[in-house]
Each structure stands twice: as structure tokens, then as C-alpha cells.
Amino acid sequence: MKTYTITVNGNVYNVTVEEGTTAGAAAPAAPKAAPKAAPAAAPKAAAPAAAEGAVTVTASVPGKVLKIEASVGQAVKAGDSIVLLEAMKMEIPVVAPQDGTVASINVAAGDTVENGDVLATMN
């Protein structure tokens, strides 16, 4: 038998492999470590219902909010930058999908966001 130490996503696993077995018949591996639960995100303050827009502007990648480039009530055109994200040391602008008015900004500079999180709403 051979023992290997494998690191996957920061988790260390010790795996023992039996020599001389037929292909596809693996020896039982060490028990899997339970996946770490993601820390619960602090609930974001909900914007008043009247301020919610019909169009949501979402994060296309997980990252950190570097800068809020538009303000509530500001008229924007399709393609105008609303939020600037940092992901993998790159600055990624999140732009307005259509012409409209920014109804709410749901994040602040320094916040960490995941793919699909609502960053802002528009009317």
C-alpha cells in the first residue's frame, strides 16, 4: 500500500492506495472532510419598496466592491458603469443593462459579493 497526502482547496487529505488491484477497484479512501460551511453573510439593509427598481444589476463574477460609480436617482445610459468590482486583481466595471434611473444601490465599497448578487436596481 502507498499513502499519499493530497491538498484540495486548502483541505489536506491522506489517501491510501492498494497496489496490484484491478483497474476501477479502488481501496477505500480516508473519510471525506465535511465541506466547510460558508460564513453567513450579514443581512443587507433592505431598500424601501418604493425605491426598488424593476431592473436588477447583478455581479457577473465574485469579487470585492472597489467603488460605487453611480448614485441613487442618477440617470444612466446602457453601458454606463454603476459599480466597479475587483476580481483576480482585475478591475471589472458592472454596467447598466439599459437606459434608466438608478433606484437603489445595494452594496458599499469594500463589500464582498458573489456571482449573481444584486448590486443595484434601476427603473
Side-chain angles (χ1 to χ4, degrees), residues 46-121:
E52 284 295 318
V55 178
T56 58
V57 180
T58 59
S60 58
V61 294
K64 181 179 178 181
V65 178
L66 279 183
K67 184 178 177 184
I68 307 297
E69 297 189 319
S71 58
V72 175
Q74 180 179 341
V76 292
K77 298 211 176 279
D80 286 354
S81 182
I82 296 176
V83 175
L84 187 62
L85 295 179
E86 177 187 37
M88 298 186 308
K89 298 186 180 185
M90 294 177 12
E91 293 182 0
I92 301 169
V94 179
V95 298
Q98 65 185 40
D99 293 354
T101 304
V102 177
S104 68
I105 301 289
N106 300 43
V107 293
D111 286 355
T112 301
V113 296
E114 294 297 322
N115 187 20
D117 285 357
V118 176
L119 305 177
T121 60

